[in-house]
mmCIF file of all heavy atoms in Angstrom:
data_model
loop_
_atom_site.group_PDB
_atom_site.id
_atom_site.type_symbol
_atom_site.label_atom_id
_atom_site.label_comp_id
_atom_site.label_asym_id
_atom_site.label_seq_id
_atom_site.Cartn_x
_atom_site.Cartn_y
_atom_site.Cartn_z
ATOM 1 N N CYS A 165 0.828 -1.212 0.000
ATOM 2 C CA CYS A 165 0.000 0.000 0.000
ATOM 3 C C CYS A 165 0.860 1.259 0.000
ATOM 4 O O CYS A 165 0.605 2.205 -0.754
ATOM 5 C CB CYS A 165 -0.934 0.002 1.202
ATOM 6 S SG CYS A 165 -2.255 -1.231 1.118
ATOM 7 N N GLY A 166 1.884 1.287 0.855
ATOM 8 C CA GLY A 166 2.745 2.457 0.928
ATOM 9 C C GLY A 166 3.524 2.684 -0.350
ATOM 10 O O GLY A 166 3.634 3.826 -0.832
ATOM 11 N N THR A 167 4.070 1.618 -0.920
ATOM 12 C CA THR A 167 4.868 1.733 -2.144
ATOM 13 C C THR A 167 4.026 2.193 -3.322
ATOM 14 O O THR A 167 4.413 3.090 -4.074
ATOM 15 C CB THR A 167 5.529 0.386 -2.468
ATOM 16 O OG1 THR A 167 6.356 -0.015 -1.366
ATOM 17 C CG2 THR A 167 6.383 0.483 -3.720
ATOM 18 N N VAL A 168 2.862 1.567 -3.478
ATOM 19 C CA VAL A 168 1.988 1.932 -4.595
ATOM 20 C C VAL A 168 1.442 3.351 -4.424
ATOM 21 O O VAL A 168 1.331 4.103 -5.399
ATOM 22 C CB VAL A 168 0.844 0.913 -4.724
ATOM 23 C CG1 VAL A 168 -0.177 1.363 -5.760
ATOM 24 C CG2 VAL A 168 1.398 -0.456 -5.090
ATOM 25 N N ALA A 169 1.116 3.738 -3.186
ATOM 26 C CA ALA A 169 0.615 5.093 -2.939
ATOM 27 C C ALA A 169 1.666 6.133 -3.322
ATOM 28 O O ALA A 169 1.354 7.146 -3.961
ATOM 29 C CB ALA A 169 0.233 5.250 -1.471
ATOM 30 N N ARG A 170 2.917 5.895 -2.953
ATOM 31 C CA ARG A 170 3.993 6.837 -3.266
ATOM 32 C C ARG A 170 4.176 6.993 -4.767
ATOM 33 O O ARG A 170 4.237 8.115 -5.293
ATOM 34 C CB ARG A 170 5.286 6.357 -2.617
ATOM 35 C CG ARG A 170 6.507 7.225 -2.889
ATOM 36 C CD ARG A 170 7.706 6.690 -2.107
ATOM 37 N NE ARG A 170 8.911 7.422 -2.410
ATOM 38 C CZ ARG A 170 9.746 7.120 -3.410
ATOM 39 N NH1 ARG A 170 9.467 6.097 -4.203
ATOM 40 N NH2 ARG A 170 10.834 7.831 -3.618
ATOM 41 N N ALA A 171 4.257 5.867 -5.485
ATOM 42 C CA ALA A 171 4.438 5.926 -6.935
ATOM 43 C C ALA A 171 3.242 6.564 -7.622
ATOM 44 O O ALA A 171 3.392 7.355 -8.564
ATOM 45 C CB ALA A 171 4.682 4.518 -7.481
ATOM 46 N N SER A 172 2.041 6.244 -7.150
ATOM 47 C CA SER A 172 0.824 6.764 -7.779
ATOM 48 C C SER A 172 0.697 8.269 -7.579
ATOM 49 O O SER A 172 0.317 9.002 -8.510
ATOM 50 C CB SER A 172 -0.404 6.056 -7.214
ATOM 51 O OG SER A 172 -0.351 4.670 -7.463
ATOM 52 N N LEU A 173 1.013 8.739 -6.380
ATOM 53 C CA LEU A 173 0.924 10.177 -6.117
ATOM 54 C C LEU A 173 1.882 10.962 -7.006
ATOM 55 O O LEU A 173 1.511 11.993 -7.583
ATOM 56 C CB LEU A 173 1.217 10.457 -4.637
ATOM 57 C CG LEU A 173 0.099 10.123 -3.646
ATOM 58 C CD1 LEU A 173 0.606 10.250 -2.215
ATOM 59 C CD2 LEU A 173 -1.100 11.040 -3.870
ATOM 60 N N MET A 174 3.116 10.491 -7.122
ATOM 61 C CA MET A 174 4.078 11.194 -7.975
ATOM 62 C C MET A 174 3.638 11.179 -9.432
ATOM 63 O O MET A 174 3.776 12.181 -10.143
ATOM 64 C CB MET A 174 5.466 10.566 -7.831
ATOM 65 C CG MET A 174 6.158 10.895 -6.528
ATOM 66 S SD MET A 174 7.894 10.404 -6.490
ATOM 67 C CE MET A 174 7.715 8.612 -6.584
ATOM 68 N N THR A 175 3.085 10.058 -9.867
ATOM 69 C CA THR A 175 2.628 9.967 -11.249
ATOM 70 C C THR A 175 1.475 10.925 -11.507
ATOM 71 O O THR A 175 1.451 11.619 -12.535
ATOM 72 C CB THR A 175 2.197 8.525 -11.565
ATOM 73 O OG1 THR A 175 3.309 7.646 -11.384
ATOM 74 C CG2 THR A 175 1.701 8.410 -12.997
ATOM 75 N N VAL A 176 0.521 10.982 -10.587
ATOM 76 C CA VAL A 176 -0.626 11.891 -10.761
ATOM 77 C C VAL A 176 -0.167 13.343 -10.779
ATOM 78 O O VAL A 176 -0.640 14.157 -11.593
ATOM 79 C CB VAL A 176 -1.658 11.651 -9.642
ATOM 80 C CG1 VAL A 176 -2.714 12.752 -9.647
ATOM 81 C CG2 VAL A 176 -2.315 10.293 -9.807
ATOM 82 N N ILE A 177 0.760 13.702 -9.901
ATOM 83 C CA ILE A 177 1.278 15.073 -9.860
ATOM 84 C C ILE A 177 1.912 15.452 -11.196
ATOM 85 O O ILE A 177 1.664 16.534 -11.739
ATOM 86 C CB ILE A 177 2.287 15.233 -8.708
ATOM 87 C CG1 ILE A 177 1.564 15.172 -7.370
ATOM 88 C CG2 ILE A 177 3.065 16.548 -8.833
ATOM 89 C CD1 ILE A 177 2.489 15.058 -6.176
ATOM 90 N N GLU A 178 2.723 14.557 -11.749
ATOM 91 C CA GLU A 178 3.382 14.859 -13.016
ATOM 92 C C GLU A 178 2.411 14.805 -14.189
ATOM 93 O O GLU A 178 2.565 15.543 -15.155
ATOM 94 C CB GLU A 178 4.554 13.896 -13.231
ATOM 95 C CG GLU A 178 5.704 14.130 -12.263
ATOM 96 C CD GLU A 178 6.136 15.588 -12.242
ATOM 97 O OE1 GLU A 178 6.783 16.035 -13.196
ATOM 98 O OE2 GLU A 178 5.809 16.280 -11.242
ATOM 99 N N MET A 179 1.405 13.954 -14.111
ATOM 100 C CA MET A 179 0.389 13.955 -15.159
ATOM 101 C C MET A 179 -0.335 15.296 -15.204
ATOM 102 O O MET A 179 -0.587 15.841 -16.288
ATOM 103 C CB MET A 179 -0.619 12.829 -14.895
ATOM 104 C CG MET A 179 -0.121 11.441 -15.216
ATOM 105 S SD MET A 179 -1.323 10.159 -14.735
ATOM 106 C CE MET A 179 -2.756 10.632 -15.721
ATOM 107 N N ARG A 180 -0.668 15.828 -14.062
ATOM 108 C CA ARG A 180 -1.351 17.117 -14.023
ATOM 109 C C ARG A 180 -0.438 18.235 -14.520
ATOM 110 O O ARG A 180 -0.872 19.116 -15.258
ATOM 111 C CB ARG A 180 -1.809 17.415 -12.596
ATOM 112 C CG ARG A 180 -2.904 16.480 -12.101
ATOM 113 C CD ARG A 180 -3.383 16.865 -10.713
ATOM 114 N NE ARG A 180 -3.978 18.191 -10.699
ATOM 115 C CZ ARG A 180 -4.424 18.814 -9.624
ATOM 116 N NH1 ARG A 180 -4.325 18.202 -8.436
ATOM 117 N NH2 ARG A 180 -4.959 20.007 -9.693
ATOM 118 N N HIS A 181 0.837 18.187 -14.120
ATOM 119 C CA HIS A 181 1.757 19.239 -14.549
ATOM 120 C C HIS A 181 1.961 19.207 -16.062
ATOM 121 O O HIS A 181 1.967 20.274 -16.710
ATOM 122 C CB HIS A 181 3.100 19.081 -13.838
ATOM 123 C CG HIS A 181 4.150 20.025 -14.341
ATOM 124 N ND1 HIS A 181 4.172 21.364 -14.001
ATOM 125 C CD2 HIS A 181 5.213 19.826 -15.183
ATOM 126 C CE1 HIS A 181 5.187 21.961 -14.599
ATOM 127 N NE2 HIS A 181 5.838 21.051 -15.322
ATOM 128 N N HIS A 182 2.132 18.010 -16.620
ATOM 129 C CA HIS A 182 2.414 17.894 -18.053
ATOM 130 C C HIS A 182 1.145 17.747 -18.888
ATOM 131 O O HIS A 182 1.240 17.588 -20.105
ATOM 132 C CB HIS A 182 3.323 16.690 -18.302
ATOM 133 C CG HIS A 182 4.690 16.827 -17.714
ATOM 134 N ND1 HIS A 182 5.623 17.719 -18.198
ATOM 135 C CD2 HIS A 182 5.288 16.187 -16.679
ATOM 136 C CE1 HIS A 182 6.743 17.624 -17.495
ATOM 137 N NE2 HIS A 182 6.562 16.707 -16.560
ATOM 138 N N ARG A 183 -0.012 17.759 -18.238
ATOM 139 C CA ARG A 183 -1.295 17.647 -18.929
ATOM 140 C C ARG A 183 -1.376 16.363 -19.752
ATOM 141 O O ARG A 183 -1.694 16.377 -20.953
ATOM 142 C CB ARG A 183 -1.548 18.876 -19.802
ATOM 143 C CG ARG A 183 -1.621 20.172 -19.007
ATOM 144 C CD ARG A 183 -1.906 21.375 -19.879
ATOM 145 N NE ARG A 183 -1.967 22.606 -19.092
ATOM 146 C CZ ARG A 183 -2.189 23.827 -19.592
ATOM 147 N NH1 ARG A 183 -2.384 23.951 -20.918
ATOM 148 N NH2 ARG A 183 -2.234 24.884 -18.819
ATOM 149 N N ILE A 184 -1.089 15.270 -19.096
ATOM 150 C CA ILE A 184 -1.146 13.952 -19.740
ATOM 151 C C ILE A 184 -2.479 13.305 -19.410
ATOM 152 O O ILE A 184 -2.874 13.223 -18.246
ATOM 153 C CB ILE A 184 0.008 13.063 -19.255
ATOM 154 C CG1 ILE A 184 1.353 13.681 -19.633
ATOM 155 C CG2 ILE A 184 -0.109 11.657 -19.836
ATOM 156 C CD1 ILE A 184 2.552 12.931 -19.080
ATOM 157 N N GLN A 185 -3.154 12.841 -20.427
ATOM 158 C CA GLN A 185 -4.447 12.198 -20.224
ATOM 159 C C GLN A 185 -4.268 10.854 -19.505
ATOM 160 O O GLN A 185 -3.258 10.169 -19.674
ATOM 161 C CB GLN A 185 -5.137 11.972 -21.565
ATOM 162 C CG GLN A 185 -5.463 13.248 -22.322
ATOM 163 C CD GLN A 185 -6.032 12.961 -23.692
ATOM 164 O OE1 GLN A 185 -5.864 11.870 -24.237
ATOM 165 N NE2 GLN A 185 -6.712 13.938 -24.268
ATOM 166 N N VAL A 186 -5.296 10.495 -18.732
ATOM 167 C CA VAL A 186 -5.263 9.224 -18.012
ATOM 168 C C VAL A 186 -5.116 8.064 -18.993
ATOM 169 O O VAL A 186 -4.382 7.095 -18.733
ATOM 170 C CB VAL A 186 -6.536 9.056 -17.166
ATOM 171 C CG1 VAL A 186 -6.582 7.665 -16.526
ATOM 172 C CG2 VAL A 186 -6.614 10.134 -16.095
ATOM 173 N N ARG A 187 -5.767 8.149 -20.128
ATOM 174 C CA ARG A 187 -5.707 7.070 -21.116
ATOM 175 C C ARG A 187 -4.279 6.860 -21.606
ATOM 176 O O ARG A 187 -3.820 5.716 -21.742
ATOM 177 C CB ARG A 187 -6.620 7.411 -22.296
ATOM 178 C CG ARG A 187 -6.569 6.414 -23.453
ATOM 179 C CD ARG A 187 -7.435 6.878 -24.600
ATOM 180 N NE ARG A 187 -7.051 8.200 -25.068
ATOM 181 C CZ ARG A 187 -6.035 8.432 -25.916
ATOM 182 N NH1 ARG A 187 -5.309 7.411 -26.362
ATOM 183 N NH2 ARG A 187 -5.750 9.651 -26.320
ATOM 184 N N ARG A 188 -3.561 7.933 -21.870
ATOM 185 C CA ARG A 188 -2.195 7.801 -22.384
ATOM 186 C C ARG A 188 -1.250 7.236 -21.330
ATOM 187 O O ARG A 188 -0.423 6.372 -21.628
ATOM 188 C CB ARG A 188 -1.682 9.162 -22.874
ATOM 189 C CG ARG A 188 -2.424 9.728 -24.069
ATOM 190 C CD ARG A 188 -1.689 10.913 -24.656
ATOM 191 N NE ARG A 188 -0.446 10.505 -25.296
ATOM 192 C CZ ARG A 188 0.473 11.363 -25.733
ATOM 193 N NH1 ARG A 188 0.293 12.671 -25.573
ATOM 194 N NH2 ARG A 188 1.585 10.925 -26.307
ATOM 195 N N MET A 189 -1.363 7.714 -20.104
ATOM 196 C CA MET A 189 -0.494 7.198 -19.053
ATOM 197 C C MET A 189 -0.850 5.750 -18.729
ATOM 198 O O MET A 189 0.030 4.915 -18.483
ATOM 199 C CB MET A 189 -0.597 8.065 -17.800
ATOM 200 C CG MET A 189 0.315 7.617 -16.659
ATOM 201 S SD MET A 189 2.079 7.565 -17.117
ATOM 202 C CE MET A 189 2.484 9.331 -17.108
ATOM 203 N N GLY A 190 -2.144 5.439 -18.740
ATOM 204 C CA GLY A 190 -2.562 4.067 -18.497
ATOM 205 C C GLY A 190 -2.017 3.114 -19.546
ATOM 206 O O GLY A 190 -1.579 2.001 -19.223
ATOM 207 N N SER A 191 -2.021 3.538 -20.804
ATOM 208 C CA SER A 191 -1.473 2.718 -21.873
ATOM 209 C C SER A 191 0.030 2.533 -21.704
ATOM 210 O O SER A 191 0.566 1.443 -21.958
ATOM 211 C CB SER A 191 -1.768 3.371 -23.225
ATOM 212 O OG SER A 191 -1.185 2.636 -24.285
ATOM 213 N N ALA A 192 0.719 3.592 -21.261
ATOM 214 C CA ALA A 192 2.169 3.513 -21.060
ATOM 215 C C ALA A 192 2.517 2.560 -19.923
ATOM 216 O O ALA A 192 3.510 1.824 -19.984
ATOM 217 C CB ALA A 192 2.738 4.898 -20.785
ATOM 218 N N GLN A 193 1.711 2.536 -18.875
ATOM 219 C CA GLN A 193 1.988 1.703 -17.710
ATOM 220 C C GLN A 193 1.417 0.289 -17.840
ATOM 221 O O GLN A 193 1.746 -0.592 -17.041
ATOM 222 C CB GLN A 193 1.415 2.350 -16.447
ATOM 223 C CG GLN A 193 2.096 3.635 -16.032
ATOM 224 C CD GLN A 193 1.533 4.188 -14.745
ATOM 225 O OE1 GLN A 193 0.405 3.882 -14.361
ATOM 226 N NE2 GLN A 193 2.304 5.016 -14.065
ATOM 227 N N ALA A 194 0.585 0.056 -18.836
ATOM 228 C CA ALA A 194 -0.129 -1.224 -18.957
ATOM 229 C C ALA A 194 0.776 -2.457 -18.927
ATOM 230 O O ALA A 194 0.420 -3.461 -18.300
ATOM 231 C CB ALA A 194 -0.986 -1.221 -20.223
ATOM 232 N N PRO A 195 1.947 -2.448 -19.598
ATOM 233 C CA PRO A 195 2.755 -3.678 -19.594
ATOM 234 C C PRO A 195 3.129 -4.184 -18.207
ATOM 235 O O PRO A 195 3.078 -5.396 -17.956
ATOM 236 C CB PRO A 195 4.001 -3.276 -20.403
ATOM 237 C CG PRO A 195 3.503 -2.218 -21.326
ATOM 238 C CD PRO A 195 2.500 -1.446 -20.525
ATOM 239 N N VAL A 196 3.489 -3.297 -17.301
ATOM 240 C CA VAL A 196 3.874 -3.775 -15.971
ATOM 241 C C VAL A 196 2.658 -4.269 -15.198
ATOM 242 O O VAL A 196 2.750 -5.226 -14.409
ATOM 243 C CB VAL A 196 4.635 -2.690 -15.176
ATOM 244 C CG1 VAL A 196 3.692 -1.614 -14.631
ATOM 245 C CG2 VAL A 196 5.419 -3.313 -14.031
ATOM 246 N N LEU A 197 1.506 -3.672 -15.421
ATOM 247 C CA LEU A 197 0.280 -4.149 -14.771
ATOM 248 C C LEU A 197 -0.098 -5.531 -15.294
ATOM 249 O O LEU A 197 -0.511 -6.412 -14.524
ATOM 250 C CB LEU A 197 -0.859 -3.150 -15.007
ATOM 251 C CG LEU A 197 -0.597 -1.719 -14.508
ATOM 252 C CD1 LEU A 197 -1.787 -0.815 -14.836
ATOM 253 C CD2 LEU A 197 -0.328 -1.719 -13.020
ATOM 254 N N VAL A 198 0.058 -5.737 -16.600
ATOM 255 C CA VAL A 198 -0.176 -7.058 -17.188
ATOM 256 C C VAL A 198 0.784 -8.076 -16.578
ATOM 257 O O VAL A 198 0.392 -9.202 -16.223
ATOM 258 C CB VAL A 198 0.001 -6.996 -18.720
ATOM 259 C CG1 VAL A 198 0.054 -8.402 -19.322
ATOM 260 C CG2 VAL A 198 -1.130 -6.195 -19.359
ATOM 261 N N ALA A 199 2.054 -7.681 -16.445
ATOM 262 C CA ALA A 199 3.060 -8.596 -15.886
ATOM 263 C C ALA A 199 2.739 -8.973 -14.447
ATOM 264 O O ALA A 199 2.924 -10.131 -14.042
ATOM 265 C CB ALA A 199 4.447 -7.946 -15.961
ATOM 266 N N ILE A 200 2.263 -8.020 -13.662
ATOM 267 C CA ILE A 200 1.910 -8.301 -12.266
ATOM 268 C C ILE A 200 0.795 -9.337 -12.198
ATOM 269 O O ILE A 200 0.861 -10.303 -11.419
ATOM 270 C CB ILE A 200 1.504 -7.000 -11.550
ATOM 271 C CG1 ILE A 200 2.741 -6.122 -11.317
ATOM 272 C CG2 ILE A 200 0.810 -7.298 -10.217
ATOM 273 C CD1 ILE A 200 2.418 -4.737 -10.798
ATOM 274 N N VAL A 201 -0.235 -9.158 -13.005
ATOM 275 C CA VAL A 201 -1.355 -10.105 -13.013
ATOM 276 C C VAL A 201 -0.883 -11.488 -13.447
ATOM 277 O O VAL A 201 -1.203 -12.505 -12.810
ATOM 278 C CB VAL A 201 -2.473 -9.602 -13.941
ATOM 279 C CG1 VAL A 201 -3.555 -10.662 -14.110
ATOM 280 C CG2 VAL A 201 -3.088 -8.317 -13.389
ATOM 281 N N LEU A 202 -0.088 -11.553 -14.510
ATOM 282 C CA LEU A 202 0.349 -12.843 -15.036
ATOM 283 C C LEU A 202 1.284 -13.561 -14.069
ATOM 284 O O LEU A 202 1.191 -14.787 -13.891
ATOM 285 C CB LEU A 202 1.043 -12.641 -16.382
ATOM 286 C CG LEU A 202 0.153 -12.161 -17.530
ATOM 287 C CD1 LEU A 202 0.977 -11.921 -18.777
ATOM 288 C CD2 LEU A 202 -0.960 -13.161 -17.813
ATOM 289 N N ALA A 203 2.202 -12.822 -13.454
ATOM 290 C CA ALA A 203 3.131 -13.445 -12.512
ATOM 291 C C ALA A 203 2.383 -14.050 -11.325
ATOM 292 O O ALA A 203 2.687 -15.164 -10.881
ATOM 293 C CB ALA A 203 4.160 -12.430 -12.029
ATOM 294 N N ASN A 204 1.398 -13.332 -10.818
ATOM 295 C CA ASN A 204 0.621 -13.846 -9.689
ATOM 296 C C ASN A 204 -0.246 -15.025 -10.090
ATOM 297 O O ASN A 204 -0.343 -16.019 -9.346
ATOM 298 C CB ASN A 204 -0.244 -12.735 -9.097
ATOM 299 C CG ASN A 204 0.534 -11.825 -8.171
ATOM 300 O OD1 ASN A 204 0.694 -12.103 -6.985
ATOM 301 N ND2 ASN A 204 1.039 -10.718 -8.708
#
């Protein structure tokens, strides 16, 4: 919870600063999320 919260907060802050859409960032991060599901 602590690790994911830290990474997520920093990502959201930078998304807002750089005006990155949720869809684009989600697509960029998708491979690691897929890997987490598959590994488990």
Side-chain angles (χ1 to χ4, degrees):
C165 290
T167 301
V168 173
R170 178 176 176 272
S172 299
L173 284 171
M174 286 190 295
T175 300
V176 169
I177 290 169
E178 291 309 286
M179 285 175 60
R180 293 183 62 183
H181 173 76
H182 294 291
R183 298 181 180 179
I184 298 175
Q185 297 175 340
V186 174
R187 175 183 57 82
R188 295 192 69 189
M189 182 58 76
S191 177
Q193 292 183 338
V196 76
L197 302 178
V198 168
I200 288 172
V201 172
L202 293 177
N204 280 275

